[in-house]
Amino acid sequence: MPITLPFRPRRESYPPDMWTQCPGCSEMLFNKHLDKALRVCPSCGHHFRISAPTRLAQLVDPGSFRERDAGLVSRDPLGFVDGKPYPDRITGAQTATGRKDAAMWGFARFGGRRVAICALDFTFMGGSMGSVVGEKVTRAAEGALAEGVPLVVVSASGGARMQEGTLALMQLVKTVAALGALREAGLPYISVLADPTTGGVFASFAALGDVNVAEPNALIGFAGARVSAGTIAEELPPGFQRAEFLLEHGFVDRIVPRSELRDELVGLLDVLAPPAPADGGAGSVRRG
Amino acid sequence: MVDRLLGRSRDREAATPAPALPAAPRDAMWARVLLARNPRRPHTLELVAGIADRFTELHGDRLFGDDGAIVGGLARIDGRRVVVVGHQKGADTDENIRRNFGMGKPEGFRKAIRLFELADRFGIPVVTFVDTPGAYPGAEAEERGIADAIANAILVMCRIRVPVVVLITGEGGSGGALAIAAGDVVVALENAVYSVISPEGCAAILWRTSDRAPDAALAMRMSAADQLELGVVDFVVDEPGQGAHVDPAETARRLRAVIVEQLDRLAALPVDELLAARHRRYRDFGAFDDLGEPEVAEPAERGGLADRLRRALEPVGKTLGGLGARDGREGRDEPPAREEV
């Protein structure tokens, strides 16, 4: 039986599931309120990382997402062992997240318009791209091509998955080739870059949107800090590799807060995409 | 004939005299990495001089500048027209500084793109020489869009309507290598290596120290023979003696024979077939199973008013435990666990 103390406990001692400390402003945030605010800090605007299911639920027309290929699981092509065999790492991540790998794809609606959408999941092994993530991004692009609908990919990934070696590297070509076919067919592709989008994911499909949209202050870059530090002795400037840095240097079109992301995508698709069939489900635009 | 030229194909020939490598597999792998990095190993321009009848180097990306780490130009190899693109390491410290140790910057990859497009325009096959520790990971590269340049180079390589022969001659370091390594056929020299991240980078992430690089090299199976087994590389060309550096001329001669053979084979294919085969080559990469799980219901975490009311009216015990459905890990805003470069 819990003992009730006569004084207010320190904030840090609140049950972690109820409160989250904002890394931006150190404010203690009530999770219920944080969820309601799409996991964006109401006081400083810090965008918390969100899982793929949460992202999809926030982004598309309510209830419109139909997942495809949920059963894809990575093999262990290299027999990779560091501290722990790779299959054990996968199993651990599957247990922790309840999902099979670091991406979900399917069809959904944006303001009534049908799109193919893929969301990467940073909570699963850092969103790293191995065979399954590469396959899902590729199938999303192929699905968009087959149905003649736009493609949206929301990236949140540390890069290629080392544990799958060069097979992970080959996913860069596989995904890019699929986007090439989409481009040739005149179908729009919007790349959403969330925190973080780095390494091989940024250097392949995430960089190649017809429109690139980033979330505020998202870490977006090619070389990881630890890689850079190990290779090049160079002091990195503050704000380096953040969304604003990318905007300034011309590699993202827009920085859009999470609360406006959905409307933004609906608006972009309205101009870029061929006219949506008039069968359109919930036509109204919901504000997050 | 092919087998003799190529040294060995998918299955290793037992007859090939094994070079005197240390016994432990980790040391053997590391010895290969060191051979691939040997400063006396012939680099692109030296190999091209030995392979081509004539070579005219072309400079600049028409946007920013000329990157010494990536070279390219027009050549004839045994009479055949080719566009050559390759990483260029230096032979000594001075040249290495000038050439940035073969680490391409955005302008280097954009020069490569320019040359690929030129090859496409004039119907000239492409031969690339891959030998880089990786793309340059510095601040200026990020400012000029290194990821954008690499992604676009890969895209262009997938689309050009001419044969593309890729030679991994030394270090195939990650995205910086791949940017000029997406082709119809990928050939590796015996002591070349190919990896998703440098072994030092891999070790720094997995073990927090680059001292464990030999372990990382073994775990990633980065040798040419391993890559052949994985299908990432199609052919391995034996090197003379203890490695390419002991006889660069002979190395160039062996590469030339493979290039000519592959160019002729690819030139015989109709262009649409060539592109379909290239697409298939990369489409098929991946090691996964489909458990064929029935489609799951769409996430309903952010329900409407009814859901929220229901949640609010749930038994009191629930509020102490927090929101059960929420993914506990999300609350921890961890620093990025970089999985790669």
Side-chain angles (χ1 to χ4, degrees):
Chain A
M1 172 143 179
I3 302 161
T4 313
L5 299 171
F7 49 85
R8 196 161 165 268
R10 288 174 38 185
R11 283 193 152 185
E12 286 82 352
S13 69
Y14 282 117
D17 277 6
M18 286 184 71
W19 295 91
T20 300
Q21 183 170 30
C22 174
C25 61
S26 304
E27 192 81 11
M28 291 304 291
L29 304 168
F30 194 38
N31 271 331
K32 231 181 220 179
H33 296 161
L34 193 53
D35 283 344
K36 205 185 234 168
L38 305 177
R39 296 199 70 77
V40 175
C41 173
S43 58
C44 75
H46 173 79
H47 282 55
F48 285 82
R49 290 171 183 157
I50 54 177
S51 69
T54 307
R55 169 71 69 185
L56 290 164
Q58 287 182 2
L59 209 52
V60 305
D61 292 357
S64 70
F65 179 70
R66 295 286 175 278
E67 188 176 6
R68 298 285 178 94
D69 301 317
L72 299 192
V73 288
S74 262
R75 283 189 215 142
D76 180 19
L78 303 185
F80 195 98
V81 177
D82 46 283
K84 208 175 179 189
Y86 175 45
D88 293 0
R89 282 194 194 277
I90 296 245
T91 311
Q94 286 173 340
T95 311
T97 62
R99 293 179 293 280
K100 299 254 182 298
D101 211 299
M104 292 172 82
W105 94 271
F107 289 97
R109 290 186 182 277
F110 273 88
R113 181 190 301 277
R114 189 169 165 83
V115 298
I117 184 165
C118 185
L120 270 57
D121 200 329
F122 191 77
T123 59
F124 192 109
M125 289 188 76
S128 57
M129 173 161 67
S131 298
V132 172
V133 172
E135 185 69 19
K136 286 194 177 182
V137 172
T138 304
R139 289 193 188 182
E142 290 170 349
L145 184 65
E147 296 212 2
V149 297
L151 172 69
V152 174
V153 179
V154 184
S155 298
S157 169
R161 189 174 292 170
M162 291 180 308
Q163 289 87 346
E164 294 190 29
T166 46
L167 288 183
L169 192 63
M170 294 303 119
Q171 305 305 312
L172 275 69
V173 186
K174 183 162 107 180
T175 54
V176 166
L179 292 179
L182 203 62
R183 217 175 245 208
E184 206 152 272
L187 291 165
Y189 160 46
I190 298 179
S191 173
V192 178
L193 299 97
D195 184 56
T197 298
T198 60
V201 165
F202 184 38
S204 60
F205 58 87
L208 291 176
D210 294 301
V211 176
N212 292 340
V213 176
E215 285 199 329
N217 199 42
L219 180 77
I220 304 166
F222 176 66
R226 256 180 286 171
V227 176
S228 286
T231 316
I232 304 287
E234 192 175 329
E235 205 49 52
L236 299 175
F240 179 66
Q241 291 184 333
R242 293 288 167 181
E244 294 72 15
F245 173 92
L246 275 282
L247 183 75
E248 187 190 327
H249 288 95
F251 296 102
V252 298
D253 291 278
R254 300 178 58 77
I255 295 175
V256 181
R258 197 169 285 164
S259 59
E260 294 164 24
L261 189 55
R262 179 187 145 77
D263 285 0
E264 178 88 10
L265 296 188
V266 170
L268 289 169
L269 291 172
D270 180 54
V271 176
L272 284 175
D279 63 337
S284 65
V285 172
R286 184 195 59 142
R287 281 228 162 240
Chain B
M1 168 69 182
V2 179
D3 283 9
R4 192 174 57 77
L5 283 176
L6 300 178
R8 56 172 179 263
S9 188
R10 299 234 172 199
D11 26 26
R12 293 184 74 154
E13 264 176 51
T16 313
L21 289 172
R26 190 191 59 152
D27 294 345
M29 181 68 79
W30 192 242
R32 294 233 189 244
V33 174
L34 295 180
L35 267 178
R37 291 174 176 176
N38 189 321
R40 288 190 298 133
R41 194 171 173 84
H43 300 133
T44 298
L45 288 175
E46 188 179 354
L47 288 172
V48 170
I51 291 168
D53 318 333
R54 197 178 60 230
F55 173 66
T56 310
E57 190 176 351
L58 303 176
H59 292 275
D61 69 345
R62 302 290 190 270
L63 294 164
F64 179 82
D66 185 44
D67 186 355
I70 295 180
V71 297
L74 303 173
R76 278 197 184 268
I77 297 178
D78 203 12
R80 293 155 186 79
R81 306 189 303 160
V82 296
V83 164
V84 167
V85 173
H87 303 101
Q88 183 63 39
K89 291 181 179 174
D92 52 43
T93 309
D94 281 353
E95 198 194 353
N96 256 327
I97 288 166
R98 194 154 47 82
R99 300 212 177 265
N100 202 20
F101 299 86
M103 295 188 287
K105 293 181 184 175
E107 51 271 27
F109 296 110
R110 294 193 176 112
K111 171 162 72 177
I113 291 171
R114 190 193 134 221
L115 294 175
F116 295 149
E117 284 172 342
L118 181 134
D120 188 46
R121 210 152 54 236
F122 294 97
I124 309 170
V126 171
V127 179
T128 68
F129 293 75
V130 177
D131 185 15
T132 180
Y136 180 65
E140 56 168 316
E142 300 282 347
E143 283 169 2
R144 295 199 290 275
I146 187 81
D148 168 89
I150 291 172
N152 275 295
I154 297 169
L155 181 66
V156 169
M157 289 200 95
C158 290
R159 311 303 287 174
I160 51 175
R161 300 175 66 80
V162 291
V164 180
V165 175
V166 175
L167 310 168
I168 318 278
T169 59
E171 278 183 282
S174 189
L178 185 65
I180 64 164
D184 298 303
V185 61
V186 179
V187 179
L189 277 175
E190 182 186 355
N191 294 310
V193 291
Y194 200 2
S195 61
V196 65
I197 181 172
S198 72
E200 286 81 3
C202 180
I205 291 170
L206 291 181
W207 293 288
R208 309 269 159 176
T209 164
S210 54
D211 299 346
R212 303 274 311 261
D215 294 295
L218 184 66
M220 290 194 292
R221 300 181 56 190
M222 57 194 288
S223 75
D226 283 323
Q227 295 305 310
L228 183 71
E229 222 169 274
L230 290 168
V232 172
V233 161
D234 300 299
F235 299 105
V236 173
V237 176
D238 277 345
E239 294 178 22
Q242 294 303 301
H245 59 283
V246 302
D247 194 347
E250 172 61 17
T251 306
R253 202 192 58 77
R254 293 184 188 186
L255 282 176
R256 175 192 170 101
V258 180
I259 293 168
V260 167
E261 174 154 339
Q262 292 303 319
L263 285 177
D264 288 352
R265 179 178 70 82
L266 296 170
L269 295 174
V271 170
D272 288 333
E273 222 170 275
L274 180 77
L275 263 80
R278 189 185 306 159
H279 189 90
R280 231 177 10 255
R281 183 179 195 279
Y282 290 96
R283 181 65 188 85
D284 291 345
F285 279 119
F288 57 86
D289 295 304
D290 192 347
L291 301 187
E293 200 172 86
E295 289 187 9
V296 291
E298 65 277 6
E301 286 162 58
R302 293 211 54 79
L305 181 62
D307 283 359
R308 274 180 275 147
L309 269 174
R310 208 172 299 127
R311 195 181 285 181
L313 294 173
E314 263 167 358
V316 186
K318 189 82 180 176
T319 56
L320 291 173
L323 309 176
R326 209 173 49 78
D327 188 338
R329 288 177 60 116
E330 276 166 34
R332 291 194 282 126
D333 204 61
E334 301 165 279
R338 305 286 193 141
E339 297 286 322
E340 199 232 6
V341 276

